[in-house]
Amino acid sequence: MVNKSVRPFGKKDEIGYVFGDMAGSFVNLFVDAYFLIFCTYVLGISSAWMGTLFLAARLWDAINDPIMGSFPDRWMIGKSGDKFKPWIKIFMVPLALSGVLCFTNVPFTGVALHAWVAFVYVLYGMSYTGTSMPFGAMANVVSTDPIDRSKLSRARSIGGTLVGIGALSFVPVICFDANSNIIPERFTLLGIIFGILSIISYSLLLKNTEERVRVEKKENNEKFNYGNVLKAVVKNRPLIGVMIATIGSMLYITGSSQIRSYIFKEYYQNTSIMTLLSFASVPIMLICFPLVPKLVEKYGKKATLMAGILFSTVFSVIPFVVEIKNVYVYSALYLIAMIGQTAFTMLIWALVTDCLDYSEWKFNERSDGSMYSLYTFSRKIGSTIASAFVSFGLGAIGYVSGSGVVQTAEAVNGIYTLVTLLPVITCVLQIIGIGLIFNLNKSKTEEMYDALKEKREQNIKEVGNL
């Protein structure tokens, strides 16, 4: 039921959601982009060992994420009546702390050093699940209107983009010297700053965003059945398609951000271009922000996404097939290909809420926290595949960890191949997920929401007649 005692949905909720995604991105994007670099260059840990860590951490997440994701569906904590906000409050400080620990140059060696790296990375992963899962699922209780949810999806894409452009773009300038050598203590300082900004941003999310849809507590000792959730997920074709496409997207986001530093440092020997590349992406966001909603209104989410994916595919294949020697030509192709991926980032969260509504429409199963945790697990799977691909790939091409090491020509050329291959794999998975599996086109989505609106109105009438 909708709580009518709170203010109507408005810009304040959208602003809150911008801050909510900024909060997680301050830590998540920083760790995804630079943890591998910090561990290989500063701590001297082999890329192969890091790849093993990433895989092992995801095996733990396979157990941990669904359990943590079911918490809001199982238990309502606090006195506010909110389903998701209290869980964000619990995990936002550990997340900020984990970001600092990931970039601390500890005086350990051998087994102790490897154990420390494993500990801080697992702490980061669990803390991020504890905040990102309730934040994402919360969109379903902020409003039941699909237009409002699209606005929330766009708002959270803005948050991550602002952090990526406004904060992470300065990392190469601050943390690398004029000769592209790493300055370890600068990474630690940024970890502290980003942690503080993360907590502030989460606080602004909690203050500005309202949970309007209230779920009555289960009566008659009715227990939460996670088996029903899993059955609904397996049958949820659009959700499976979105998960596959998201794995591809995370290959692009995580893999490219991790290894991009290597290509500019080793292949082009110009890390300063990374800052210019980040700022050059601002016009892309400014173009996509007003354009994407108009395209969605006219053609639907699926058609708009497919157009962007195919556009990105063309300009991702070019540098993979033809070796680009000029750093500015390579950067231009990268930016053009980014247009399609920006559209994907802006729309993906709205697609997820559509998938959760699809479960209610087809299977009468509504467990937002649990289902959303399974979706976020697919994001982690994508990040892990990307991290493992980069880590093991660097080892396979002969990359040697440590500061001051001169890489061989074979390793440098191998870095180029790894970097340009990742976006191609991304586009293939997105085409499969959205183009071949996801089955909610514009007309079917409208049919679904008409049916759900009628169903919910009927439920309200029945409750009123009791």
Side-chain angles (χ1 to χ4, degrees):
M1 60 179 292
V2 177
N3 185 1
K4 297 183 179 179
S5 63
V6 300
R7 59 175 173 78
F9 179 89
K11 291 293 182 183
K12 196 172 182 179
D13 296 279
E14 295 182 58
I15 293 172
Y17 243 63
V18 170
F19 280 111
D21 200 58
M22 288 177 64
S25 296
F26 275 120
V27 180
N28 177 48
L29 293 183
F30 189 40
V31 172
D32 275 357
Y34 291 103
F35 184 62
L36 176 62
I37 294 171
F38 187 84
C39 289
T40 54
Y41 278 106
V42 177
L43 301 181
I45 296 177
S46 72
S47 58
W49 191 90
M50 291 301 297
T52 303
L53 169 63
F54 293 141
L55 291 177
R58 291 300 84 84
L59 288 175
W60 166 242
D61 284 339
I63 301 171
N64 170 68
D65 282 12
I67 294 175
M68 294 180 67
S70 69
F71 286 173
D73 294 324
R74 293 175 185 270
W75 304 293
M76 181 175 291
I77 60 176
K79 299 180 180 180
S80 64
D82 290 330
K83 182 177 181 179
F84 298 107
K85 284 184 178 181
W87 297 100
I88 295 176
K89 291 179 182 178
I90 290 174
F91 287 101
M92 64 184 190
V93 173
L95 176 65
L97 177 62
S98 71
V100 178
L101 298 180
C102 281
F103 294 98
T104 300
N105 189 8
V106 292
F108 303 147
T109 59
V111 175
L113 175 62
H114 288 76
W116 167 262
V117 171
F119 165 73
V120 296
Y121 188 69
V122 171
L123 174 64
Y124 152 71
M126 293 182 66
S127 301
Y128 185 61
T129 296
T131 54
S132 64
M133 176 276 302
F135 168 60
M138 194 169 70
N140 297 287
V141 297
V142 172
S143 175
T144 58
D145 189 298
I147 301 300
D148 293 345
R149 292 177 177 180
S150 294
K151 291 178 180 178
L152 292 177
S153 177
R154 185 177 62 173
R156 70 175 298 174
S157 72
I158 295 172
T161 302
L162 288 175
V163 172
I165 296 174
L168 290 190
S169 60
F170 291 103
V171 174
V173 176
I174 296 172
C175 297
F176 293 85
D177 63 20
N179 296 316
S180 297
N181 296 313
I182 286 179
I183 308 173
E185 58 272 18
R186 301 280 183 86
F187 276 100
T188 309
L189 176 62
L190 283 182
I192 295 172
I193 294 173
F194 289 160
I196 294 172
L197 291 175
S198 176
I199 293 174
I200 293 173
S201 297
Y202 271 129
S203 300
L204 291 171
L205 162 73
L206 298 173
K207 181 179 180 180
N208 288 289
T209 307
E210 297 282 355
E211 291 191 22
R212 295 175 178 81
V213 181
R214 300 298 190 191
V215 179
E216 299 297 331
K217 293 184 177 180
K218 297 182 183 295
E219 299 179 354
N220 301 323
N221 296 321
E222 181 183 354
K223 294 183 178 180
F224 174 78
N225 191 329
Y226 196 76
N228 291 338
V229 177
L230 292 177
K231 291 177 182 178
V233 169
V234 171
K235 296 178 181 178
N236 195 323
R237 178 174 168 175
L239 180 59
I240 292 173
V242 166
M243 290 170 72
I244 292 174
T246 296
I247 290 174
S249 177
M250 296 309 296
L251 287 177
Y252 179 85
I253 295 172
T254 302
S256 295
S257 65
Q258 286 182 341
I259 204 168
R260 190 168 60 226
S261 299
Y262 290 90
I263 191 173
F264 286 116
K265 184 179 187 303
E266 303 293 349
Y267 186 85
Y268 291 115
Q269 298 181 354
N270 186 348
T271 55
S272 63
I273 197 69
M274 295 168 62
T275 299
L276 295 176
L277 200 62
S278 296
F279 283 115
S281 62
V282 173
I284 294 175
M285 184 185 70
L286 295 177
I287 292 172
C288 289
F289 186 78
L291 180 61
V292 169
K294 293 179 180 179
L295 293 174
V296 169
E297 184 178 358
K298 186 173 182 179
Y299 300 107
K301 300 185 189 79
K302 179 175 180 176
T304 302
L305 272 177
M306 283 307 301
I309 292 169
L310 293 175
F311 182 84
S312 182
T313 301
V314 172
F315 289 94
S316 295
V317 168
I318 293 174
F320 177 67
V321 176
V322 180
E323 186 176 3
I324 307 299
K325 296 287 188 179
N326 186 288
V327 64
Y328 296 102
V329 175
Y330 168 79
S331 299
L333 290 171
Y334 174 85
L335 288 170
I336 295 172
M338 187 187 292
I339 295 174
Q341 297 303 323
T342 300
F344 186 93
T345 302
M346 285 187 172
L347 288 177
I348 188 60
W349 304 109
L351 260 66
V352 173
T353 55
D354 286 348
C355 294
L356 299 184
D357 285 330
Y358 180 89
S359 181
E360 180 183 355
W361 180 39
K362 290 293 186 180
F363 315 116
N364 292 316
E365 178 63 46
R366 189 87 204 189
S367 300
D368 293 338
S370 300
M371 289 190 131
Y372 190 85
S373 71
L374 292 172
Y375 167 73
T376 56
F377 181 64
S378 72
R379 292 178 63 84
K380 286 191 175 184
I381 289 294
S383 294
T384 300
I385 293 173
S387 298
F389 178 85
V390 171
S391 301
F392 291 130
L394 287 172
I397 63 177
Y399 170 82
V400 179
S401 299
S403 61
V405 176
V406 178
Q407 306 298 330
T408 64
E410 290 78 9
V412 173
N413 290 329
I415 287 172
Y416 180 90
T417 301
L418 289 176
V419 173
T420 54
L421 176 59
L422 271 173
V424 176
I425 299 175
T426 288
C427 293
V428 170
L429 289 174
Q430 289 177 336
I431 290 172
I432 293 173
I434 301 300
L436 301 181
I437 300 177
F438 186 81
N439 61 341
L440 284 177
N441 56 23
K442 190 174 187 292
S443 60
K444 193 168 184 178
T445 301
E446 292 172 350
E447 176 190 351
M448 176 180 72
Y449 280 114
D450 287 342
L452 286 175
K453 181 180 180 181
E454 182 179 345
K455 175 184 176 181
R456 290 163 180 167
E457 289 176 350
Q458 182 62 33
N459 289 339
I460 293 174
K461 290 180 181 180
E462 290 177 356
V463 172
N465 291 331
L466 293 179

